[in-house]
Amino acid sequence: FIISCANISNQEVVETPTEIGFDKTEGVKTPLFGGDMETVSVWEKYIKAHNEKDIKTIRQLNAEKGFKAYGPKGEIIVGTEDHLAFLSQWFTDNNPKWVTKYSIANEFKTKEGILKQYVTSGHDVTFVIDGKEVKVNQVHDALIINGKVQTFYVNERVIVE
């Protein structure tokens, strides 16, 4: 004769995302959470295409509408065509090469409830200016929407060896 007092329930387990910081671009402190790693994969492909000077892949990864890039010296590039023209000349003149040091997927929701997914990444970049090799460290913050690079910001400092 066996008596069981087991209480079996079908409770759903809900995972709460971990807050990793905040975003304040709209003037209000909004929780920032770890993001979708697929955005990191998009950014890795993007950097690889830059290293390979693969204009076709860069074009495919840029957002079709509203693309913007903000450079480290105040440059603002609006639209894929202007971006590709800039890169074509820069690749020829300076032969840049990126070595990725880190990539972090992060996301938040705007006041309107719109999900914003970013990749924050750090890179050592080597390029040539006036025949001399220059090394810089860059931090990028890239907004990825539907698997495309919508906007990115570049901050940079010269590496002194």
Side-chain angles (χ1 to χ4, degrees):
F1 172 68
I2 299 175
I3 298 177
S4 173
C5 294
N7 184 4
I8 301 172
S9 77
N10 291 332
Q11 294 180 353
E12 185 178 324
V13 176
V14 178
E15 288 189 35
T16 305
T18 301
E19 190 172 331
I20 62 170
F22 66 88
D23 178 88
K24 204 171 176 181
T25 55
E26 294 181 326
V28 176
K29 211 176 210 183
T30 304
L32 188 64
F33 301 98
D36 184 344
M37 288 300 291
E38 187 57 35
T39 59
V40 170
S41 295
V42 170
W43 192 246
E44 285 179 307
K45 290 176 196 168
Y46 201 66
I47 295 299
K48 182 178 187 238
H50 280 68
N51 274 332
E52 294 175 354
K53 300 171 182 54
D54 183 351
I55 295 293
K56 181 180 176 187
T57 298
I58 295 167
R59 177 187 300 279
Q60 291 170 344
L61 289 171
N62 275 1
E64 292 177 24
K65 293 182 182 176
F67 173 85
K68 284 187 183 177
Y70 296 86
K73 295 174 179 65
E75 313 93 314
I76 301 173
I77 300 172
V78 178
T80 292
E81 294 308 317
D82 285 352
H83 182 228
L84 299 179
F86 168 82
L87 287 177
S88 293
Q89 190 64 52
W90 194 44
F91 290 163
T92 299
D93 293 347
N94 302 113
N95 195 31
K97 294 288 182 201
W98 290 260
V99 175
T100 301
K101 298 297 185 177
Y102 64 86
S103 286
I104 304 166
N106 55 92
E107 60 188 40
F108 69 96
K109 287 195 177 175
T110 66
K111 290 185 276 189
E112 295 79 22
I114 298 168
L115 181 64
K116 297 286 188 168
Q117 295 180 306
Y118 282 85
V119 175
T120 303
S121 60
H123 311 268
D124 286 343
V125 186
T126 304
F127 51 92
V128 178
I129 297 177
D130 298 327
K132 292 186 179 183
E133 193 173 86
V134 175
K135 292 183 180 183
V136 299
N137 175 262
Q138 292 184 342
V139 175
H140 301 163
D141 211 14
L143 174 61
I144 311 295
I145 298 178
N146 297 322
K148 303 283 187 178
V149 177
Q150 183 68 54
T151 302
F152 68 87
Y153 305 86
V154 179
N155 291 287
E156 175 179 285
R157 70 171 183 82
V158 175
I159 296 173
V160 179
E161 295 180 339

